[in-house]
Amino acid sequence: MSPRPSMHIPPRARAWTLSRAWWMHPTLTVMLLVVPVYLSFMSFDFDQVGVPSFIPSTNYWWGLMLLVTLATGALMGSCVRLAPMPARTGPLTFPAWLMALLLFLTVFAYVVWFYPIALEPDLLMQIVQGERANLRGLIVTRPGLTTLTQCGVAYTVACAIKPWLSGKPLARWERYGLVLVFALTIFRVFVWSERLAILEIVCAYFIAGAALRPIRSYGRRRLLKLLPLIAPVIVYLLFTFTESFRSWEFYRDSYSSIWAFSFDRLLTYYATASNNGIGLLEHTHDWPGYTGRFVFEWAYLLPLAGRLLRSVFGDARIAYQDFLEQFAREEFNNPSGLFPIVYDVGYFGSALYFLAIGFVIGLLYRRFVAGRMSGLLGYPSCFLFMIELLRFNYFTASRFIPVIFSLLLVALYVHRARPPIAGGFRVVPAAS
């Protein structure tokens, strides 16, 4: 049996793509984008939030070391030499049934989740009028069903790379499906106050296509190289928009404008996350427990297996809840993605953890730039992990499991069209 053909795109056949921008390299992403934000927490006024400050401290500096360790691992992984690929590869075939399955599971999960709104449409008006921030508590999730909304991430990635790897444009129903996934995600942000969902879809679509979509305009290249300077402004504007119908009604008397309120609140989400995580280490003394409660958090949230794990190893999350009740505010309850790992496996274990995670991210980045399937599918989630690490750990969350399994499904069933094109394979941009 001949080996599976490579999805590698010969460098000479590709124009400049966004994947070559400096800030797409994981080491630079961490050191030049994430670390400066982390250092800025030292100047944050935690008194205005009404919580004690644990920054700076010994554990705060250890968090900085973990970020450097992550960046180092990413550098090591990005330097791995890729094995040479066969000269001949054919265009890829994305089975229609696979695309339809991912879309169906996504839409079905959204219907199961939010169908009660169709029975009580007045609930939406209550959000619009500022009477409610969201519908949490009125609508419940169904583990195993509503988590299938995360299949939309894989569908979005597949839609982003399919035209460039197959040489054919998306089918009309696939384009409509992509628009529907974006619309449902925005609706989810609106009624569930889950802004991370839109970040997942945006990263999935734009990062996946970044290694394949040629950018020939010099002006556009310069603009994209400066995107890290523009992106925070875009995030700030979007955050302000969502806060206008989420929390502004409750705080309008405390701020001069919604712009000042949203800027302060955006910084508070990230600063308090690290402060909470450090505070957990400072005020508890029975760590590390080596239970995997935070490293494999998704496993502890499974309906049956999670109950068994908690009964055998206990639930370290209870200690964090106790900390929040004493020293934090309910609305700012994230522990960051760094310090729960320290709590779980200690200083040495956390260093190994982030070194290993960084190496995998760097390796996927290397394959991403080369246009190989594993990199195209996996690196968008890695990028999201890095930019959200100061708030929470995306790789340990239960929402990541459906993403990784649905991406593996894409990797398994996308195959080369036969017969191969004589003289080698060149990706043909899809017609617009």
Side-chain angles (χ1 to χ4, degrees), residues 98-421:
L98 174 62
M99 302 293 289
L101 176 62
L102 294 174
L103 180 60
F104 171 78
L105 291 176
T106 303
V107 175
F108 173 74
Y110 272 111
V111 171
V112 170
W113 191 353
F114 293 120
Y115 82 91
I117 297 178
L119 305 179
E120 298 184 67
D122 290 343
L123 294 175
L124 290 180
M125 291 305 301
Q126 294 177 15
I127 297 180
V128 174
Q129 296 170 359
E131 298 175 10
R132 292 182 182 275
N134 54 60
L135 299 183
R136 297 190 182 212
L138 297 178
I139 299 176
V140 297
T141 59
R142 300 185 182 183
L145 285 179
T146 54
T147 50
L148 291 177
T149 55
Q150 297 300 100
C151 293
V153 176
Y155 178 78
T156 304
V157 170
C159 286
I161 65 177
K162 178 182 176 181
W164 308 99
L165 294 182
S166 67
K168 300 177 182 178
L170 293 175
R172 180 178 298 179
W173 68 268
E174 291 172 328
R175 295 196 300 270
Y176 290 158
L178 182 62
V179 172
L180 179 59
V181 169
F182 269 91
L184 289 172
T185 304
I186 294 172
F187 180 78
R188 175 177 175 177
V189 173
F190 179 71
V191 302
W192 204 252
S193 296
E194 190 181 352
R195 283 178 285 251
L196 178 62
I198 195 66
L199 281 177
E200 285 178 307
I201 297 298
V202 169
C203 283
Y205 186 75
F206 290 101
I207 301 298
L212 302 175
R213 186 181 298 273
I215 301 172
R216 297 181 174 86
S217 168
Y218 178 73
R220 188 173 298 178
R221 291 184 194 179
R222 291 189 62 184
L223 180 64
L224 291 173
K225 290 177 181 178
L226 297 175
L227 189 58
L229 302 179
I230 304 171
V233 178
I234 298 175
V235 171
Y236 170 58
L237 293 175
L238 292 176
F239 184 83
T240 303
F241 172 72
T242 58
E243 285 299 312
S244 66
F245 57 79
R246 184 188 182 197
S247 303
W248 173 235
E249 289 297 325
F250 303 99
Y251 293 95
R252 64 165 58 245
D253 295 333
S254 303
Y255 289 85
S256 59
S257 69
I258 189 174
W259 302 103
F261 163 72
S262 62
F263 182 76
D264 180 70
R265 195 169 180 84
L266 181 60
L267 292 179
T268 302
Y269 273 116
Y270 288 90
T272 55
S274 289
N275 193 59
N276 289 342
I278 295 170
L280 174 65
L281 300 180
E282 298 284 343
H283 282 271
T284 54
H285 306 286
D286 56 347
W287 58 274
Y290 302 104
T291 64
R293 177 60 176 89
F294 294 107
V295 174
F296 303 107
E297 184 173 10
W298 55 269
Y300 278 80
L301 298 178
L302 294 175
L304 297 178
R307 186 181 306 172
L308 177 61
L309 288 172
R310 290 191 296 271
S311 65
V312 174
F313 299 106
D315 191 355
R317 187 84 185 184
I318 296 176
Y320 182 60
Q321 295 299 330
D322 292 340
F323 167 82
L324 290 177
E325 292 177 5
Q326 286 186 276
F327 301 102
R329 287 175 55 177
E330 182 180 0
E331 57 187 322
F332 303 118
N333 56 14
N334 285 311
S336 88
L338 298 168
F339 303 104
I341 305 301
V342 180
Y343 185 91
D344 208 356
V345 297
Y347 292 118
F348 182 71
S350 62
L352 289 180
Y353 174 89
F354 283 104
L355 184 66
I357 290 292
F359 183 84
V360 172
I361 290 175
L363 183 59
L364 287 175
Y365 169 77
R366 177 82 169 180
R367 300 181 69 85
F368 166 74
V369 173
R372 302 192 185 182
M373 183 61 85
S374 58
L376 297 174
L377 296 178
Y379 193 65
S381 294
C382 294
F383 192 82
L384 180 61
F385 165 82
M386 290 184 290
I387 64 175
E388 281 291 289
L389 183 59
L390 297 183
R391 197 169 66 90
F392 89 119
N393 192 318
Y394 184 63
F395 286 165
T396 66
S398 58
R399 66 188 303 128
F400 180 62
I401 302 306
V403 173
I404 194 67
F405 275 106
S406 52
L407 288 174
L408 288 173
L409 193 67
V410 174
L412 182 63
Y413 286 101
V414 170
H415 57 276
R416 186 180 68 171
R418 298 181 184 281
I421 298 175

Side-chain angles (χ1 to χ4, degrees), residues 8-17 20 211 369-372 425-426:
H8 176 64
I9 304 167
R12 294 179 181 177
R14 296 188 291 134
W16 190 91
T17 62
R20 301 186 187 183
V369 173
R372 302 192 185 182
F425 169 59
R426 180 172 62 90

